[in-house]
Amino acid sequence: MTLATVAPIERRPLHAAAIDRLRDLILQGSLAPGDRLNERVLTERLGISRTPLREAFKLLAAEGLVELLPHRGAIVAPLNAGRLRETLAVLGALETLIGELVCAHATDDAIGEIRALHFEMRAAHARRDLSGYFHLNQAIHLRLAEAAGNAVLAQTYRQLNANVRRVRYMANLSPQRWDAAVREHDAILDCLTARDGVRLKALLSEHLAHKTASVLAALDAPREAA
Amino acid sequence: MTLATVAPIERRPLHAAAIDRLRDLILQGSLAPGDRLNERVLTERLGISRTPLREAFKLLAAEGLVELLPHRGAIVAPLNAGRLRETLAVLGALETLIGELVCAHATDDAIGEIRALHFEMRAAHARRDLSGYFHLNQAIHLRLAEAAGNAVLAQTYRQLNANVRRVRYMANLSPQRWDAAVREHDAILDCLTARDGVRLKALLSEHLAHKTASVLAALDAPREAA
DNA sequence: ACGGGAGGTTTTGCATGCAGAATACAAAAA
DNA sequence: TTTTTGTATTCTGCATGCAAAACCTCCCGT
C-alpha cells in the first residue's frame, strides 16, 4: 500500500459497549420516558464508574434520548405527541431526499441487501413475529438511508428515528395496519428495483403518514404487553 | 396555566459557558479543522478541569464539530468537500420543509423580526461589513427555521448548519456573489411577506445551490486573511 | 390540621490520581 | 541514507474523593 495511515481495526473506547447497552435500555423502553437516571444505580447496573456514565449522558442527550436537568440529574427524554409529530415531519423531509438519492445512486448490492431484508421481514410478518418485524422494518429504513450514499443524511435520519423507535416498542399494531404496511413495503421495493425516484418519494411519504398516525395512536393508548 | 412543572429559571451547568466558548472557538475557526484538542492545554485555556472538558468533547462530537479518536484524543472535525456537500444536501431538504411550514405557521411577529434582521443585514452589506453580514445572514436563516414552528426541525437545522458556518468564516465572498445573495434575500423576504410557500421553497432551494457553490469554492481556496 | 422551616441525607458537579495506551525520539542495523 | 527497534515521555480513560446543591423528613408555630 502507498500511504494508507488509518488502521482498519477500529478501536472503540473501552466502555462503548456499556454506553450502547444504556442506549438500548432506553430504546427498548426498559427505561421508560421520564424515568430518572440515578448515577449510582446505573454505575452498578452497567458495571462502569460515574465518569464514563456521565459522558454517556452527555452523548445521549445530544442524541435526544436523554434530558439533562442541571443539578438534578438526567431523565429519559419524555415522549410527547407534539415533539413526536415534529420529529416525524422532519423525517418526512429526509425521506423525500432519500427517495431521490437512493434511486439515483444506490449500488445494486445495496438494493439486493434491502431486498433480502424485505423478505426476512415478510417472513416475520407471516409468523406474526412483531418484534422481529419491527427490527427488520427499522433495518430496511436505515439501509435505505445509507444506500442513498449520503452519510450525513443517514446519520441524521438514524438519530431522529431513534426517538420514534421508542414508541414502536411500546405499541402493538392492528392486523389491518400491519398488513397494509407490508403491502406498502412491497410497493417501495418495486419502485426501488425500477429505480423510479419520483414514485418512491410519493410512496415513502404516504408510508410515513400512515406510520405517523400509528405512532401517535400508540402514544395515546400506552402499553399493552403482548 | 394548568400543570406547568418546569421552572422558568433555567439553571445551566456551571461550566456551560466554557463549553460554549470552546464551541465558538471551533465555529470561528480559531481552532482549525484537524487541530488536535489537547486536554491539558484546553483546561488551562478555558479554566476548567479535565472532567467537564471531556464531557464537552462528547457533546461537540455528537454535534459533529469534534471527532473522537479512541486513545488518541479529540480533533476538530475536518471539513472535507464531500461531507460538506452531503450536509448541504440535507440542509436543502430541511429548507424545503421550512419554506412550507414558515408560510403556513409563522406568526406576524416572527416575520417582523426576520424583516428587521433583513434590513440590518442590508445595512451591513452597504457598509461592506462582511463579518456583520455573515452573522445577520445566519441569524435570518435560523429565525426562519424557528419561525416554522417545529423545534426539532430548528434544532436539526442549527446543528447541521454549524459545520457550514465554519467554512463561511474562512472565506471571502466575491462582490458579485455578495450582491446576488442580497437580492435573493430580498426575494425571500417578499415571498415570506406574501406567505407564498411554493415560491419560497423554490427560492430557498436556489439560494442554497448558490451557497453550496460558494462554500465549496471557499473550501478549495483556503484562507485569505482580510 | 396545616404551612413553613431547619436539619440531615442523598445526589450531582468537579478535581485529581493512577494505570495503560499511543507517540516521539534516538540509537543501531541494513 | 533509510529502516527498524527500544525506551522515555505524553496523553487518554477511568475511578474516586470532596464540596455544593437539591431533596426529604420531621418538628414547630399558628
Side-chain angles (χ1 to χ4, degrees):
Chain A
M1 54 184 147
T2 54
L3 54 95
T5 53
V6 186
I9 357 153
E10 192 182 328
R11 311 268 284 113
R12 287 166 37 105
L14 280 72
H15 284 40
I19 297 179
D20 289 343
R21 252 180 76 205
L22 178 56
R23 185 187 285 109
D24 281 346
L25 287 176
I26 295 174
L27 288 178
Q28 294 174 15
S30 307
L31 295 169
D35 278 5
R36 291 206 61 211
L37 298 173
N38 183 295
E39 293 185 356
R40 191 179 45 77
V41 172
L42 281 172
T43 52
E44 287 168 10
R45 188 159 176 185
L46 298 174
I48 60 180
S49 104
R50 287 179 55 216
T51 304
L53 179 65
R54 290 173 52 79
E55 290 180 357
F57 284 172
K58 289 282 200 297
L59 250 178
L60 296 175
E63 289 179 19
L65 294 175
V66 158
E67 206 163 292
L68 299 173
L69 311 178
H71 293 286
R72 289 197 285 160
I75 61 173
V76 179
L79 285 173
N80 59 72
R83 195 173 174 80
L84 217 48
R85 205 188 309 266
E86 291 182 3
T87 304
L88 286 157
V90 178
L91 282 173
L94 297 183
E95 282 197 345
T96 299
L97 182 57
I98 289 171
E100 283 176 17
L101 293 182
V102 80
C103 284
H105 296 99
T107 66
D108 288 333
D109 277 1
I111 293 181
E113 176 60 21
I114 290 171
R115 177 176 293 109
L117 289 169
H118 176 76
F119 286 117
E120 283 191 53
M121 186 187 79
R122 291 203 55 163
H125 174 236
R127 292 197 191 93
R128 317 313 278 177
D129 169 11
L130 190 61
S131 167
Y133 171 82
F134 276 152
H135 272 100
L136 288 161
N137 189 319
Q138 287 292 328
I140 288 172
H141 282 283
L142 285 181
R143 290 302 178 101
L144 270 172
E146 286 161 12
N150 180 327
V152 175
L153 175 58
Q155 185 186 335
T156 307
Y157 184 88
R158 187 178 327 123
Q159 201 160 304
L160 291 171
N161 195 47
N163 267 308
V164 178
R165 210 176 136 194
R166 288 200 284 158
V167 186
R168 269 327 187 44
Y169 278 105
M170 292 167 42
N172 282 316
L173 215 53
S174 78
Q176 302 92 306
R177 175 61 204 133
W178 196 354
D179 295 347
V182 170
R183 281 197 302 278
E184 287 166 18
H185 266 263
D186 281 341
I188 287 170
L189 187 67
D190 287 345
C191 258
L192 187 58
T193 305
R195 291 180 183 267
D196 180 348
V198 176
R199 201 161 112 73
L200 182 58
K201 272 163 60 174
L203 285 177
L204 285 174
S205 166
E206 195 183 333
H207 185 60
L208 185 76
H210 294 157
K211 180 172 181 166
T212 301
S214 172
V215 162
L216 291 177
L219 194 65
D220 282 341
R223 214 145 329 195
E224 332 155 16
Chain B
M1 52 185 141
T2 55
L3 54 95
T5 52
V6 186
I9 357 155
E10 193 183 328
R11 311 271 281 108
R12 284 162 43 102
L14 282 70
H15 284 28
I19 297 177
D20 288 343
R21 252 180 75 205
L22 177 56
R23 184 187 287 110
D24 281 346
L25 287 175
I26 295 174
L27 289 178
Q28 294 174 15
S30 306
L31 296 170
D35 278 6
R36 292 207 61 207
L37 297 173
N38 182 293
E39 294 186 355
R40 192 179 47 76
V41 172
L42 280 173
T43 53
E44 288 168 9
R45 186 158 176 187
L46 297 174
I48 61 180
S49 108
R50 286 180 55 219
T51 304
L53 178 66
R54 287 174 53 79
E55 292 180 356
F57 284 172
K58 290 280 200 300
L59 253 177
L60 296 174
E63 290 178 19
L65 293 175
V66 158
E67 206 164 294
L68 299 173
L69 311 178
H71 292 285
R72 289 197 284 158
I75 60 173
V76 178
L79 285 174
N80 60 71
R83 194 172 175 81
L84 218 47
R85 206 187 309 266
E86 292 182 1
T87 304
L88 286 157
V90 177
L91 281 173
L94 297 183
E95 282 197 345
T96 299
L97 182 58
I98 289 171
E100 282 175 17
L101 292 181
V102 79
C103 284
H105 295 98
T107 65
D108 289 334
D109 276 2
I111 294 182
E113 176 60 22
I114 290 171
R115 177 175 295 111
L117 288 170
H118 176 76
F119 286 118
E120 282 191 54
M121 187 187 79
R122 291 204 54 163
H125 173 236
R127 291 196 193 92
R128 316 313 281 177
D129 168 12
L130 190 63
S131 167
Y133 171 82
F134 277 152
H135 271 101
L136 287 161
N137 190 321
Q138 287 291 328
I140 288 171
H141 282 281
L142 286 180
R143 291 300 179 103
L144 271 173
E146 286 162 11
N150 181 326
V152 176
L153 175 59
Q155 187 187 332
T156 308
Y157 184 88
R158 189 179 326 123
Q159 202 160 302
L160 291 171
N161 196 46
N163 266 309
V164 178
R165 210 177 136 193
R166 288 200 284 158
V167 187
R168 264 342 199 18
Y169 278 105
M170 291 167 44
N172 285 316
L173 215 54
S174 77
Q176 302 93 304
R177 175 61 204 134
W178 195 354
D179 294 347
V182 170
R183 281 197 302 277
E184 287 166 19
H185 266 263
D186 281 341
I188 287 170
L189 187 67
D190 287 346
C191 259
L192 187 59
T193 305
R195 289 181 183 269
D196 181 347
V198 176
R199 201 161 113 73
L200 182 57
K201 273 163 59 175
L203 285 176
L204 285 175
S205 165
E206 193 183 336
H207 186 59
L208 186 76
H210 294 156
K211 181 174 181 165
T212 302
S214 171
V215 162
L216 292 177
L219 194 65
D220 282 342
R223 211 140 334 193
E224 332 155 14

